[in-house]
Amino acid sequence: MSTTETLIAIIVPIVVILALITLAVFFVVRRRRLRERFGPEYDRAVRSGDGRLSAERELHSREKRHRDLDIRELPPGARERYAEDWDKAQQEFVDHPDRSVTDADRLVTQLMRDRGYPTEGFEQRLKDLSVEHANTLEQYRAAHDISRRNENGEATTEELRGAMVHYRALFQELLGGTGGAHRRGGSPHAA
């Protein structure tokens, strides 16, 4: 065996091993970044998908879609109006809990739209929100489920109270800044 062949026999396996190590590090770093960004939504995507790699591709595609959206902060005046509308919805809970939950659902959807999120369907809303608001998605899912049951007259007052608390978590995140509901922590009627 010549010196060249010996060098090739040594270098090629080393290059292959280094490429495999680089690839493994890439996947580990990507997985860690996705877990940090999506929190509990990462685990949910893995459980409901066709495996970890498929879930990670899905989460990555959510990030790409999110980058193309025109997500914007609300001006202070709009934040204050939303905070006031939220406070009214919470105050209405005492006399009309069913209407209050309907108003909360409408306010959250309207706030999403005004921030630049598409609102074409609930599942797509969840995907779009998951990029920046993954920690409140379970609460939003629960609130939305109760809201749907409320439309059919199947939700109890205690469940409606829970829906208001769940909606409030996402509402405050979306509202951002120091709007009224965020600053005051909301009404005790829905807490």
Side-chain angles (χ1 to χ4, degrees):
M1 190 181 262
S2 72
T3 307
T4 305
E5 291 172 338
T6 304
L7 281 174
I8 290 174
I10 293 171
I11 292 174
V12 168
I14 290 174
V15 169
V16 169
I17 290 170
L18 288 175
L20 289 173
I21 290 172
T22 301
L23 191 60
V25 168
F26 168 79
F27 281 113
V28 167
V29 168
R30 181 174 104 163
R31 181 168 294 148
R32 181 178 298 134
R33 185 188 63 75
L34 288 171
R35 279 184 163 205
E36 288 172 2
R37 177 149 205 184
F38 287 95
E41 190 65 12
Y42 176 90
D43 294 326
R44 183 181 182 87
V46 169
R47 281 192 313 271
S48 65
D50 294 329
R52 189 172 303 278
L53 289 178
S54 173
E56 289 176 356
R57 278 192 298 272
E58 162 63 21
L59 295 174
H60 183 66
S61 73
R62 291 181 193 186
E63 288 179 318
K64 285 177 69 174
R65 175 181 160 93
H66 189 270
R67 279 193 296 269
D68 293 337
L69 299 176
D70 183 23
I71 306 299
R72 55 199 168 275
E73 293 295 319
L74 292 175
R79 262 199 313 269
E80 284 300 318
R81 280 189 301 281
Y82 269 109
E84 290 168 8
D85 289 346
W86 182 262
D87 288 344
K88 288 176 192 171
Q90 287 190 135
Q91 290 167 4
E92 180 181 37
F93 186 86
V94 173
D95 295 323
H96 304 286
D98 55 335
R99 191 174 1 176
S100 182
V101 169
T102 300
D103 289 348
D105 183 64
R106 179 188 49 77
L107 272 171
V108 166
T109 303
Q110 185 177 343
L111 178 55
M112 287 175 59
R113 188 178 311 111
D114 287 353
R115 290 277 320 273
Y117 288 97
T119 57
E120 65 260 7
F122 182 68
E123 289 303 317
Q124 187 60 54
R125 276 184 263 163
L126 288 173
K127 289 177 182 180
D128 292 338
L129 286 170
S130 70
V131 178
E132 288 187 357
H133 304 284
N135 290 325
T136 55
L137 280 188
E138 276 309 308
Q139 293 182 64
Y140 184 42
R141 280 184 181 98
H144 185 75
D145 178 56
I146 294 167
S147 182
R148 294 302 132 238
R149 290 186 315 147
N150 179 44
E151 290 174 1
N152 298 325
E154 299 169 353
T156 67
T157 302
E158 197 54 39
E159 288 172 322
L160 295 173
R161 184 181 317 281
M164 288 299 290
V165 171
H166 294 319
Y167 275 128
R168 182 173 60 203
L170 179 60
F171 180 84
Q172 288 178 341
E173 267 195 27
L174 287 169
L175 190 63
T178 56
H182 185 74
R183 181 181 59 245
R184 290 189 292 274
S187 166
H189 300 298

